[in-house]
Amino acid sequence: MRLLIVGTLGGQLAVASRIVMERGATVTHADSIDVAMKSLRSGRGADLVMIDVGLDIADLIRRLETEMIHLPVVACGVASDARAAVAAIRAGAKEYIPLPPDPDLIAAVLAAVAEDGRELVVRDEAMARVVRLADQVAVSDASIMITGESGTGKEVLARHVHRKSHRSGKPFIAVNCAAIPEALLESELFGHEKGAFTGAVARRIGKFEEADGGTLLLDEISEMDLRLQAKLLRAIQERIIDRVGGTRPVPVDIRILATSNRNMAEEVRKGTFREDLLYRLNVVNLKIPPLRDRPADVQALAEHFLDRYAKANGVKNRPLDPEARRELTRARWPGNVRELENCMHRAVLLAIGDTIGVEAIRTPDGQRLDEAHGEGRPPLSRDPAVRHAAETAEAVTRALVGRTVADVERELILETLGSTLGNRTHAANILGISIRTLRNKLKEYGDDGHPIPPPGGGVEAA
């Protein structure tokens, strides 16, 4: 994590600086807001700004917004200066840290504001396979596409890849392509020269240059405009960029990671994503399974979040009772890890007693989790065979949630074809489609790189 400290506060911020460096952060100092802005424009970058509450925080935040620099700001001041603390929060600061600095408080703020405390927690074999592949390819410079539903932990895995790479000592820069307006994303990525457009009051180094020597994560890249995709393709191929309004190319040395919650092959077919760019980015694909397909991870992550939020809220860390564990595993978690994290935070606050029971595990609207996913479902039979069949059917249905119709259809067709040992006619009869439709589907799947069972058994690419 990169921290920019603005001001002096008679040496108190220097103490805070030492604390965050001991926690693994890199620190840059600026005596004034002007110097801080020059540092940010120059490409030195920061993940968090910590500023003396006596400085003009409203002016800093206004200048950051004007120059489209997106950073959280934390104010610091002597503990008795309550009026200044309130003014700082009203001006737009995310948090206020009283000084002299408390190491645990600073660590908590850094984790909460900069989201630097996210860890890769893996117990389920389905996710472990993905992590093993990530570890295998991390040492290379190959571009990686990380796909999966929203909230599955794509950025967490990307940071893991960076930590395992030979670039780990260099910057890891993440850009959310869906969160930045289309008109501003080009400048955010490639930077701009003074006067390139209204509001470009000085030269600004973009994320490509800021990540030089390290890793650039293009989060939700499927949201990027086609015109900008062309410029990105050139930057990846040539390892040079052009600042907006610039007159000469700038060389860069970075590794590209990209994420998406969409089916990228489908985006290419729809014409919303360039096929040649996908080939450049998708040298290796890491597909993260949804949380509902990782039951062992549900338990491990739940315990991890309970421990984190018990510490953050100053309460005793209590274990989950057996019923609560069962309900967590049965839940579908459409919001995946992000939803589970929020749910465990609520449970820490709502639980009463020595354990966390199912009554404390609630949905965002306050409904108990066991009641929410049990609505409209008849009670399970006491007959073990019937109960097992019902639970199996429910698990199969749950596995389909969040997948596209095209994905499910492809899997059904290929599984049916495999069961007929490649006999197209029998498979078409079972599926209730014409042999021509089946052949067209198989050609489409083969063109996308899926293995197709040939007539007579075996596997080959169609």
Side-chain angles (χ1 to χ4, degrees), residues 1-183:
M1 180 186 153
R2 301 164 302 161
L3 176 65
L4 173 61
I5 292 182
V6 188
T8 58
L9 270 179
Q12 294 284 8
L13 282 177
V15 178
S17 165
R18 286 198 301 273
I19 292 172
V20 297
M21 284 191 287
E22 289 169 359
R23 305 269 172 172
T26 58
V27 178
T28 302
H29 287 272
D31 292 334
S32 67
I33 291 176
D34 286 338
V35 175
M37 293 303 299
K38 288 179 182 178
S39 175
L40 293 172
R41 295 185 198 114
S42 70
R44 299 185 68 177
D47 300 306
L48 177 66
V49 175
M50 189 179 289
I51 183 172
D52 180 343
V53 75
L55 297 179
D56 191 344
I57 296 175
D59 178 55
L60 170 64
I61 291 176
R62 183 167 53 249
R63 291 169 71 172
L64 290 174
E65 290 175 349
T66 299
E67 299 193 34
M68 297 168 290
I69 300 175
H70 310 283
L71 284 175
V73 175
V74 170
C76 298
V78 294
S80 60
D81 200 352
R83 185 174 298 176
V86 172
I89 297 298
R90 286 177 175 171
K94 298 292 185 185
E95 293 285 349
Y96 176 80
I97 297 179
L99 299 175
D102 175 79
D104 291 335
L105 176 59
I106 286 183
V109 170
L110 294 182
V113 176
E115 297 185 324
D116 204 40
R118 290 170 293 182
E119 300 175 36
L120 191 61
V121 177
V122 180
R123 297 291 184 278
D124 199 280
E125 179 57 26
M127 187 64 187
R129 286 193 295 269
V130 178
V131 175
R132 285 196 293 269
L133 178 57
D135 290 343
Q136 181 180 341
V137 300
V139 295
S140 72
D141 268 341
S143 297
I144 297 175
M145 175 70 77
I146 304 174
T147 56
E149 295 177 11
S150 293
T152 49
K154 297 186 288 296
E155 184 173 343
V156 175
L157 184 60
R159 291 179 182 274
H160 175 80
V161 169
H162 174 69
R163 286 194 299 269
K164 293 286 186 176
S165 75
H166 65 87
R167 297 175 179 266
S168 58
K170 297 293 184 178
F172 175 91
I173 306 297
V175 181
N176 189 328
C177 300
I180 301 174
E182 178 186 323

Side-chain angles (χ1 to χ4, degrees), residues 450-454 457-461:
H450 297 284
I452 308 299
V459 176
E460 67 180 16

Side-chain angles (χ1 to χ4, degrees), residues 26 40 46 56 98 114 128 131 145 153 158 188 191 212 254 257 263 268 303 334 344 373 388 440 452 454 461:
T26 58
L40 293 172
D56 191 344
V131 175
M145 175 70 77
E188 186 76 10
D212 193 41
I254 59 173
L257 305 180
N263 182 323
V268 169
E303 292 170 359
M344 291 301 95
H373 74 235
H388 176 72
N440 290 339
I452 308 299

Side-chain angles (χ1 to χ4, degrees), residues 143-147 221 258-260 264 278 281-282 284-286:
S143 297
I144 297 175
M145 175 70 77
I146 304 174
T147 56
I221 193 170
T259 74
S260 178
M264 296 304 293
L278 180 59
L281 294 170
N282 198 28
V284 178
N285 179 256
L286 301 176

